[in-house]
Amino acid sequence: MSDLEERIKQNEGSLLYQTHLGTFRNGLFHRYKCSEGYWTIGYGHRCSDDQTPIQVYEAEGLLKTDINAAQLMAAKIHLDKHQVVNDVLTEAVFQIGYTGLCKFKKMIKALKECDYKKVADELKDSRWYKQTPNRVQKHLDVLNKINKDK
């Protein structure tokens, strides 16, 4: 399993955490409403309101498919020389969607200019940061480390 996949699992709710919440029980993932009110199952996969419970291997498969799709969409926005930046963009698409990330026009401009401090500033000054500050802070830490390593 890749680091990216593991981070997304933790951010979306580990098996242990989902067991605690009751969304994983009797060996199956059950649908739940995410913080934005969408039906979700497994590791952050959006589903229909009539979704039946799924097994762990199905949740793992959906996660891999969703990550691949998010990576392709993130690369349409920007493909960076730093893989960690590409992973940040992938996680952003995974969480807020391609359309949501495309709204970060100043951040995208800063990415193209390799101005990672400005990228971090734009992320911090966003509704996304206000909604999930701990998660986005991890992305800011990655970007700020690049600034220090320059």
Side-chain angles (χ1 to χ4, degrees):
M1 177 182 332
S2 71
D3 289 345
L4 175 62
E5 188 176 338
E6 186 56 37
R7 276 194 312 275
I8 290 175
K9 276 184 168 184
Q10 292 303 312
N11 286 330
E12 293 297 329
S14 68
L15 199 58
L16 183 64
Y17 183 68
Q18 290 199 47
T19 299
H20 170 75
L21 293 178
T23 56
F24 182 79
R25 59 187 183 280
N26 303 320
L28 298 170
F29 285 97
H30 296 261
R31 68 183 171 87
Y32 61 93
K33 283 202 175 178
C34 73
S35 61
E36 292 295 304
Y38 297 109
W39 284 111
T40 307
I41 198 162
Y43 301 106
H45 179 78
R46 195 178 291 184
C47 65
S48 63
D49 62 351
D50 62 350
Q51 173 69 52
T52 58
I54 61 173
Q55 295 184 22
V56 172
Y57 78 90
E58 293 172 293
E60 299 274 345
L62 289 172
L63 177 61
K64 287 180 190 322
T65 300
D66 291 345
I67 289 172
N68 287 337
Q71 286 173 320
L72 291 171
M73 288 185 263
K76 285 182 179 181
I77 295 170
H78 178 75
L79 191 57
D80 202 83
K81 63 184 176 183
H82 300 284
Q83 185 55 45
V84 292
V85 174
N86 295 325
D87 288 351
V88 165
L89 295 174
T90 297
E91 288 191 65
V93 169
F94 192 95
Q95 188 181 5
I96 64 174
Y98 176 78
T99 305
L101 189 58
C102 284
K103 293 177 183 175
F104 286 71
K105 298 199 184 306
K106 291 179 186 174
M107 183 208 71
I108 294 167
K109 182 178 183 290
L111 277 169
K112 307 244 183 256
E113 297 168 353
C114 298
D115 185 350
Y116 301 107
K117 181 185 181 323
K118 177 75 171 163
V119 173
D121 291 346
E122 291 299 322
L123 285 180
K124 191 163 187 172
D125 185 32
S126 71
R127 182 172 163 246
W128 182 34
Y129 180 83
K130 289 174 184 68
Q131 290 173 325
T132 55
N134 294 336
R135 188 169 184 172
V136 178
Q137 185 60 52
K138 293 174 191 172
H139 302 319
L140 299 178
D141 293 344
V142 166
L143 295 164
N144 289 326
K145 184 174 184 334
I146 293 171
N147 284 328
K148 287 179 186 169
D149 292 345
K150 274 183 160 181

